[in-house]
Amino acid sequence: MNYPLKRVVVTGLGALTPIGNNVTEYWNALVNGVSGADFIKQFDAEKFKTKFACELKDFNPEQFMDRKEARKLDRFSQIAMVAAEQAVKDAGLDADTINKDRVGVIWTSGIGGMITFIEEMTNFNSGDGTPRFNPFFIPKLILDIAAGHISMKYGFRGPNYATVSACASSTNALIDAFNYIRLGKANAFVVGGSEAVVTQSGIGGFNAMKALSERNDDPKTASRPFDLNRDGFVLGEGGAGIILEELEHAKARGANIICEMVGGGMSADAYHLTAPHPEGLGVINVMNEVLNDANLKPEDIDYINVHGTSTPLGDIAELTAIKKVFGEHTYKLNISSTKSMTGHLLGAAGAIEAVATILAMVNGVVPPTINHSTADPAIDPKINLTLNKAQKREIRAAVSNTFGFGGHNASVVFKKFEE
């Protein structure tokens, strides 16, 4: 038996990013083109090919939780708890007055507790071989644990898990929650992602893949999507939370409706471990899918927050795909990569970029792609990449793209809310 799909709205946002420790700070930095990149503070990176990253600024978890609780959590889970709390408060989601059996949590990470793993193995290797592991080693390490902690804090007993699709992970989480709600299987979800891998193995591993920028002479301009001299992405850390809610449930409790989520799409490149398909076939499929799911035409979209990591191949492949999907309307779009400011937050990228996309629509301002100085002749100059300066624009509907190693593609559409 077929039932009409329920409408899904956004009622709360939270963000802990390299350019702002809450949603307001994040948005102000985005529209002002602030770079979050700087030399690494968390470890001595002198011998590394890349010596910089987009780290959180002035983040002390003990400002948000007691020391005992903080010590039980890896940094990615600490970030998750803060971003989720911001989103829950923003939504006014009162755990004492709602049906907690109908509220779920899908919170993800691309890698999980890398810091914990490094610390525990370093301690073991420096000893005499006797295993003396912290009893919280495994609970701190596994990447589904952030969702578990969030559910336990609020008593939310709905579906609870993590999705994993590398850098597309938190966009997949949004799509999963969206589908649960519109199918009537839950009233609301806390959805998001967090990442904390600015570590020796994180930087060293991505360096070994030749994925990171090595612009050590000028870190703040290193993330430069679409620029001719782009040389890789800048690793970032942080997280974001979004409250998705069934429309009638939100209205019944008098929630502030920020916007509506109207579609989600997923696809695979089925091509290469790390490189995008040169003709963007998987990306073409995912954008066609998301428009179809949202029942929108290409001309209904005003803004695309692109994956735009600042890699030589990836940026070209994504723009190639956009031109094939949107045709002549491509030249009427605003396109920007907020990774030029935040760096690449891996599994948390989709969540923080969804927040940026929503805020752009709500405020009628497209955040810029910063650090662009030299045009790439392989990129169509007629495409509006919102270079270096924010642009005012009414945004009726917007797409956010995220892609992951392994060829995972995910895309979501948000729309201005109308009764």
Side-chain angles (χ1 to χ4, degrees), residues 221-252:
T221 69
S223 185
R224 46 178 61 210
F226 314 118
D227 188 89
L228 176 64
N229 299 309
R230 63 192 182 278
D231 68 329
F233 70 81
V234 177
L235 190 61
E237 66 170 357
I242 298 172
I243 306 302
L244 293 184
E245 193 166 351
E246 193 271 321
L247 173 60
E248 296 306 320
H249 183 268
K251 288 167 65 175

Side-chain angles (χ1 to χ4, degrees), residues 269 271-272 274-280 283 311 313-318 403 407:
D269 280 359
Y271 172 73
H272 188 273
T274 58
H277 192 286
E279 297 175 20
V283 180
T311 57
L313 296 178
D315 292 1
I316 296 290
E318 187 169 10
F403 317 134

